[in-house]
Amino acid sequence: MFQALLNVALKRLVGAIPTMLLLSMIVFVVLRALPADPLALLLPPNATQADADVVRKALGLDQSIPVQYAIWLKNALHGDLGSSISFREPVTRLIANTLPATLELSFIGLLFALLISIPGGLLLYAARGTLGEPPLEIAVICMLCIPAFLWAIFLMLGFGVALGWLPIAGRVDSGMAIPGGTGFLLIDYLITGQWRSWLNAWSHLLLPASALALGFSPLVIRVLRSSLLESSEEQYVMAARQRGLSERKIIISHMLKNSALPTITLIGAQFGFLFGGTLLVESIFSLPGLGNLMVQAVRNHDLPLIQGIALVFCVMTLLINTVVDVLYVVLNPKLRRAQ
């Protein structure tokens, strides 16, 4: 089994290389085709054309786009994504400082989404053919129509502003010390035993993570319910009913495992949208993550920083899809035998 999982992971990672190269090339060309001038932040208002030419040559912007991309790719393969024009810092350092906050928010949001969608899918399936099915269907459709950033605004206004129950900005309260370590506050506070700070970090994550979860879970609910409906017509389910097993035991012990396969595939395919949804959610809640950094980079026409962040988003999405493929093999014995 381990060898089958390793084969799947290696195949997916090797297959991801052309995708990453193609995407990095597209982003590179599109950014440099835009009319925005990245030199505006580097030059004083009284700068002459000669000054602009000197800076442009120093940054390599006087070269053709293929040459610029070749230079960038060579440096990127050595771990150098260039220097941020607006922050005057290496792009890799900026990403390393902000990526843990985004990953923490994304994975907590995914956890909340599973806690919502699995019971929601089971409830929607159990309500089939009853008077409760239409209102539940309408509720899920309404949730599906509301994007994560709008949920963020609703939750902020409701629980943060009107009720004042939860904080609405930052990762922790102002003035609270942030420990060094992994960059994941929940882990770092747990390791150092700072329980009060750990609870404070949790309170700051609840609203943005819930916004991501509420925007992500409705589609998972519908797919899980559809998978359960298909499984209910399978022969093994009918045989289990004939043996006198309760419907609850049949669902939990038999149907849910098989219905989880298409649901996991959907989660992997949609995780990129959840990860990308952090961009606006982080801006709304003033979280110092990768999404907030991207907004600042776009506002300042910071081409090296935008390119680096886009590459990280691509890598994270591909890695998550690889993990999902491995989980699919774990849950499906037929795929393990095929490897």
Side-chain angles (χ1 to χ4, degrees):
M1 177 178 176
F2 177 77
Q3 186 62 40
L5 299 181
L6 184 61
N7 290 339
V8 171
L10 289 177
K11 287 180 182 178
R12 298 300 183 270
L13 291 176
V14 171
I17 294 176
T19 303
M20 292 172 54
L21 287 174
L22 180 60
L23 186 62
S24 67
M25 189 183 303
I26 293 174
V27 173
F28 194 93
V29 172
V30 169
L31 287 177
R32 278 146 186 83
L34 296 176
D37 187 4
L39 300 183
L41 292 173
L42 297 176
L43 296 172
N46 58 349
T48 63
Q49 183 61 42
D51 296 331
D53 293 338
V54 170
V55 176
R56 193 179 302 277
K57 184 175 181 179
L59 295 176
L61 297 177
D62 60 327
Q63 304 284 344
S64 64
I65 291 180
V67 172
Q68 290 184 49
Y69 176 74
I71 296 173
W72 177 88
L73 182 60
K74 178 183 176 182
N75 294 333
L77 292 175
H78 290 85
D80 180 12
L81 296 178
S83 295
S84 167
I85 295 175
S86 55
F87 291 95
R88 313 292 177 89
E89 291 185 45
V91 171
T92 51
R93 183 190 302 168
L94 291 170
I95 291 176
N97 291 336
T98 54
L99 181 59
T102 299
L103 289 178
E104 190 172 58
L105 173 61
S106 299
F107 288 122
I108 297 299
L110 180 60
L111 175 62
F112 286 2
L114 294 177
L115 293 176
I116 295 172
S117 56
I118 294 176
L122 292 173
L123 179 62
L124 198 59
Y125 170 76
R128 68 194 187 284
T130 67
L131 293 177
E133 184 178 15
L136 286 175
E137 282 275 12
I138 293 173
V140 173
I141 292 174
C142 290
M143 290 176 63
L144 194 61
C145 296
I146 302 176
F149 75 89
L150 199 54
W151 279 116
I153 295 174
F154 291 159
L155 293 173
M156 173 184 283
L157 294 177
F159 294 96
V161 178
L163 298 175
W165 290 351
L166 293 169
I168 59 174
R171 299 183 73 187
V172 291
D173 289 344
S174 59
M176 185 169 289
I178 297 180
T182 64
F184 298 90
L185 291 187
L186 295 180
I187 296 177
D188 292 337
Y189 283 136
L190 192 63
I191 293 174
T192 56
Q194 302 180 52
W195 303 110
R196 183 178 178 181
S197 299
W198 185 80
L199 291 174
N200 188 269
W202 257 114
S203 68
H204 282 76
L205 269 175
L206 283 176
L207 291 183
S210 298
L212 288 177
L214 290 170
F216 183 76
S217 57
L219 187 58
V220 181
I221 290 175
R222 291 174 63 87
V223 170
L224 179 58
R225 186 242 190 185
S226 298
S227 299
L228 289 170
L229 288 174
E230 291 180 5
S231 298
S232 65
E233 303 298 328
E234 297 290 338
Q235 291 185 355
Y236 70 89
V237 174
M238 297 179 181
R241 288 171 179 158
Q242 290 174 357
R243 292 199 304 269
L245 295 180
S246 66
E247 191 71 14
R248 179 179 179 181
K249 185 174 181 59
I250 293 173
I251 293 174
I252 300 300
S253 302
H254 301 281
M255 294 172 57
L256 191 57
K257 181 179 179 180
N258 291 325
S259 299
L261 295 177
T263 306
I264 290 175
T265 303
L266 173 71
I267 291 173
Q270 294 293 316
F271 182 83
F273 294 98
L274 184 145
F275 192 64
T278 61
L279 190 148
L280 291 177
V281 172
E282 285 180 359
S283 298
I284 292 171
F285 288 98
S286 301
L287 294 173
L290 204 61
N292 210 339
L293 186 65
M294 175 65 103
V295 172
Q296 298 179 57
V298 172
R299 185 184 298 122
N300 296 325
H301 310 305
D302 196 333
L303 300 187
L305 187 55
I306 296 173
Q307 181 79 23
I309 295 174
L311 182 64
V312 170
F313 270 93
C314 173
V315 170
M316 289 305 306
T317 302
L318 291 173
L319 285 177
I320 292 297
N321 278 276
T322 300
V323 172
V324 168
D325 289 337
V326 171
L327 287 176
Y328 206 92
V329 172
V330 171
L331 295 174
N332 194 335
K334 294 181 180 179
L335 291 179
R336 288 202 299 270
R337 290 192 293 267
Q339 299 302 319

